[in-house]
């Protein structure tokens, strides 16, 4: 079975590719796309072929993906980058007309999750405990109701870009002018957790696998430990169903003294997906079965708590545009 994975050079795409290559059920043939030449990224190790494509906002992006799928006889596409997912799901009918299944939530869900303020309002209206978020026009309320430190980030940002902990209101007033469409919240402390989530085609939760993020670099967990906690699992299930997630999502939270606060939800696989796979649940493989309308055996949802993961760099070398092994 051929699968197309976008942004193949990213940590998340490689994590998903590793998981699919570990499948004991299917022999997946992975085709990737990326904006960079394949001799400048490490992903050729995990993919049979990689196509260079334009950036997601360029006019020919969608047609380029469809052309690749038709040429390679690909029926399933797993979008990886947040903005790509939004663009692809917005054009989901075009893919359907070409018998290509986009393994993702709906456009409305994706666009809502990618806007952190919209997510906050949606979950608040659902009666779910979420950290209060303020817009720049509400600075007077921030000063009145929140004691520093503050946390400021773009409402439509990705990774940890332009995210700052701010120690004074004066500093906040300066930074708020430098960030595109920011939201302001109380700076959180305590332990950070990532909840890997998988829902069925009706938005009903199948599994939540929490892990504590002990250390991270550039928004990617490099030291984590799987953690079986009923409260975290219940919280992840409730959020994923409230937002009508289909397929994968990852939910980032802080917990301090038993109190859970949402950081954000990403309607896609996490960069640490492989940690959940190693714990016992191959979520990318199971997701394919979900989109194939197959029943999921409960044994495939059993996983090990307290599995510690640590990561390291691995070099890939190219000589005259060819990989040197």
């Amino acid at each position: 079975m051929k699968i197309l994975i976008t942004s193949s050079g990213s940590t998340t795409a490689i994590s998903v590719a590793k998981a699919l290559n570990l499948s004991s059920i299917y022999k997946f043939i992975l085709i990737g796309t990326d904006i960079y030449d394949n001799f400048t990224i490490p992903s050729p190790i995990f993919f049979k072929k990689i196509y260079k494509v334009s950036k997601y906002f360029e006019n020919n992006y969608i047609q380029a993906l469809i052309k690749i799928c038709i040429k390679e006889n690909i029926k399933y596409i797993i979008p990886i980058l947040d903005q790509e997912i939004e663009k692809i799901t917005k054009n989901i009918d075009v893919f359907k007309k070409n018998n290509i299944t986009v393994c993702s939530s709906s456009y409305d869900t994706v666009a809502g999750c990618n806007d952190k303020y919209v997510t906050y309002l949606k979950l608040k209206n659902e009666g779910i405990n979420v950290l209060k978020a303020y817009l720049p026009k509400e600075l007077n309320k921030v000063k009145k109701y929140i004691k520093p430190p503050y946390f400021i980030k773009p409402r439509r940002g990705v990774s940890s870009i332009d995210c700052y902990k701010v120690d004074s209101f004066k500093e906040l007033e300066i930074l708020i002018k430098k960030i595109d469409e920011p939201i302001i919240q109380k700076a959180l402390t305590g332990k950070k957790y990532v909840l890997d989530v998988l829902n069925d085609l009706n938005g009903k939760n199948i599994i939540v696998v929490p892990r504590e993020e002990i250390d991270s670099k550039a928004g990617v967990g490099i030291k984590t430990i799987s953690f079986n906690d009923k409260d975290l699992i219940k919280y992840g299930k409730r959020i994923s169903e409230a937002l009508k997630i289909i397929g994968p999502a990852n939910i980032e939270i802080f917990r301090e003294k038993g109190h859970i606060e949402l950081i954000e939800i990403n309607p896609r696989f996490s960069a640490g997906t492989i940690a959940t796979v190693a714990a016992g649940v191959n979520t990318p493989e199971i997701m394919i079965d979900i989109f194939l309308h197959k029943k999921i055996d409960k044994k495939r949802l059993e996983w090990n708590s307290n599995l510690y993961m640590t990561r390291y760099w691995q070099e890939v070398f190219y000589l005259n545009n060819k990989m040197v092994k």
Side-chain angles (χ1 to χ4, degrees):
M1 183 188 302
K2 285 187 175 181
I3 307 289
L4 183 70
I5 302 176
T6 67
S7 296
S8 61
S10 67
T11 305
T12 302
I14 291 173
S15 194
V16 171
K18 286 179 178 179
L20 293 176
N21 285 331
L22 288 171
S23 175
S24 59
I25 299 175
Y26 300 104
K27 179 64 177 178
F28 290 112
I29 299 172
L30 305 182
I31 308 297
T33 64
D34 208 281
I35 62 172
Y36 300 106
D37 292 310
N38 61 8
F39 57 85
T40 65
I41 54 179
S43 43
I45 296 174
F46 310 101
F47 292 79
K48 183 175 182 179
K49 188 183 295 184
I50 296 173
Y51 287 87
K52 185 178 181 180
V53 295
S54 60
K55 295 181 179 180
Y56 72 92
F57 53 79
E58 295 180 4
N59 292 332
N60 64 340
Y61 177 72
I62 296 297
Q63 286 304 318
L65 295 182
I66 291 173
K67 186 176 180 180
I68 293 167
C69 288
I70 293 173
K71 178 182 177 181
E72 295 286 347
N73 193 28
I74 295 170
K75 300 301 180 185
Y76 297 91
I77 177 171
I78 304 176
I80 297 296
L81 188 69
D82 295 321
Q83 299 97 325
E84 284 181 330
I85 301 172
E86 193 166 333
K87 180 70 173 285
I88 289 169
T89 54
K90 190 174 185 179
N91 291 274
I92 199 165
D93 288 339
V94 181
F95 287 92
K96 285 181 178 178
K97 288 179 182 178
N98 288 278
N99 297 314
I100 303 164
T101 297
V102 177
C103 300
S104 174
S105 297
S106 69
Y107 169 73
D108 287 342
T109 293
V110 170
C113 289
N114 284 350
D115 187 324
K116 297 173 180 62
Y117 191 71
V118 169
T119 301
Y120 157 71
L121 293 177
K122 170 68 175 176
L123 294 178
K124 181 183 176 183
N125 290 337
E126 291 286 339
I128 297 174
N129 178 54
V130 286
L131 187 66
K132 174 71 176 175
Y134 296 90
L135 298 176
K137 63 182 181 181
E138 300 175 295
L139 267 184
N140 59 326
K141 293 182 180 179
V142 172
K143 190 174 184 179
K144 183 177 180 180
Y145 296 116
I146 303 180
K147 293 181 180 180
Y150 312 102
F151 195 79
I152 183 171
K153 59 186 177 182
R155 62 185 286 179
R156 295 182 179 86
V158 295
S159 187
S160 56
I161 299 171
D162 283 339
C163 297
Y164 302 100
K165 182 180 178 182
V166 184
D167 292 321
S168 69
F169 188 78
K170 185 176 181 180
E171 185 182 358
L172 178 65
E173 288 180 302
I174 296 171
L175 268 178
I176 208 168
K177 299 174 183 177
K178 298 180 179 181
I179 299 174
D180 186 35
E181 292 188 289
I183 59 172
I184 306 104
Q185 295 175 299
K186 175 185 176 182
L188 296 172
T189 57
K191 292 183 178 181
K192 181 181 177 182
Y193 296 87
V194 177
L195 315 180
D196 275 345
V197 170
L198 199 59
N199 284 13
D200 66 17
L201 297 179
N202 296 314
K204 183 178 179 181
N205 182 253
I206 293 175
I207 191 167
V208 178
V209 180
R211 63 178 177 273
E212 181 186 344
E213 191 170 278
I214 299 167
D215 193 10
S216 65
K217 298 291 183 184
V220 175
I222 58 172
K223 293 181 180 180
T224 70
I225 186 167
S226 60
F227 189 73
N228 194 340
D229 183 282
K230 291 181 180 179
D231 291 335
L232 296 181
I233 292 171
K234 182 179 179 181
Y235 188 75
K237 177 179 179 179
R238 191 177 179 197
I239 286 180
S240 69
E241 292 184 348
L243 295 176
K244 300 179 181 178
I245 293 294
I246 293 175
N250 68 89
I251 301 169
E252 298 180 19
I253 65 169
F254 268 102
R255 184 164 70 173
E256 183 180 25
K257 297 178 181 178
H259 192 63
I260 300 172
E261 295 285 8
L262 175 71
I263 303 173
E264 64 183 34
I265 176 167
N266 303 297
R268 56 169 172 78
F269 286 111
S270 67
T273 293
I274 197 64
T276 289
V277 176
V281 184
N282 194 325
T283 45
E285 177 192 73
I286 294 172
M287 181 202 67
I288 295 298
D289 276 344
I290 288 171
F291 281 92
L292 285 170
H293 301 273
K294 290 189 176 183
K295 186 177 180 180
I296 308 302
D297 189 331
K298 289 184 178 180
K299 290 183 179 180
R300 296 171 69 189
L301 303 177
E302 296 174 355
W303 56 281
N304 296 309
S305 187
N306 299 316
L307 180 70
Y308 187 92
M309 178 190 76
T310 184
R311 284 172 155 164
Y312 66 96
W313 290 105
Q314 180 177 332
E315 295 75 23
V316 178
F317 299 96
Y318 293 93
L319 182 62
N320 298 324
N321 298 345
K322 292 184 179 180
M323 187 181 295
V324 179
K325 295 184 179 180

